[in-house]
């Protein structure tokens, strides 16, 4: 079994103390909030955030416009189909009326022919 070396503990404690001092020194050397570099960095961040929000809003507007366009096209298609159905229904009514008139004319002709035969 090896001997306990006390200076290893001291070395670790000194290293930890130096690390703490370096952290404190880094914290103290940080620029203040009113430093021009910090202000420039903040304004650059704000510009990036604003540009991102603008792009998001543009995408949403484009999506809403495309959705509205699809809905308008679907509505126009439904209206066109309804108009076509109405036209077909009107044509059917006209055909039925013409057929009924033709059948009535044929019936009247048969009736007139029967009357003419009976008079002879």
């Amino acid at each position: 079994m090896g001997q306990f070396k006390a200076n290893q503990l001291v070395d670790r404690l000194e290293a930890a103390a130096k690390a703490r001092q370096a952290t404190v020194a880094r914290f103290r050397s940080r620029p203040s909030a009113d430093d021009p570099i910090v202000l420039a960095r903040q304004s650059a961040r704000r510009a990036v955030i604003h540009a991102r929000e603008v792009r998001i809003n543009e995408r949403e507007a484009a999506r809403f416009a495309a959705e509205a366009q699809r809905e308008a096209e679907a509505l126009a298609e439904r209206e066109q189909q309804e108009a076509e159905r109405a036209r077909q229904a009107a044509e059917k009514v006209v055909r039925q009326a013409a057929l009924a008139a033709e059948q009535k004319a044929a019936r009247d002709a048969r009736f007139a022919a029967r009357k003419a035969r009976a008079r002879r």
Side-chain angles (χ1 to χ4, degrees), residues 13-14 29 50 56 90 93 103 117:
L13 290 175
E14 286 176 4
S29 69
H50 177 71
I56 289 170
V93 168
Q103 288 173 345
R117 279 194 307 262

Side-chain angles (χ1 to χ4, degrees), residues 27-95:
F27 180 75
R28 287 188 180 153
S29 69
R30 265 186 19 192
S32 64
D34 60 349
D35 190 355
I37 295 172
V38 173
L39 295 175
R41 191 177 302 141
Q42 287 176 347
S43 67
R45 284 182 187 150
R46 279 192 221 109
V48 168
I49 290 170
H50 177 71
R52 183 181 306 131
E53 289 173 354
V54 166
R55 286 192 310 269
I56 289 170
N57 290 339
E58 287 174 353
R59 278 195 301 262
E60 286 180 5
R63 184 173 49 90
F64 287 141
E67 187 176 317
Q69 178 68 25
R70 283 192 302 271
E71 288 176 4
E73 289 173 356
L75 180 63
E77 179 69 25
R78 282 193 301 267
E79 288 176 354
Q80 183 181 10
Q81 289 174 352
E82 287 179 21
E84 180 65 22
R85 277 190 236 117
R87 186 189 62 77
Q88 289 175 351
E91 286 179 0
K92 184 177 179 182
V93 168
V94 168
R95 280 194 311 268

Side-chain angles (χ1 to χ4, degrees), residues 90-111:
E91 286 179 0
K92 184 177 179 182
V93 168
V94 168
R95 280 194 311 268
Q96 287 176 344
L99 179 63
E102 188 178 309
Q103 288 173 345
K104 185 176 184 309
R107 201 170 43 244
D108 289 347
R110 285 193 310 270
F111 180 75

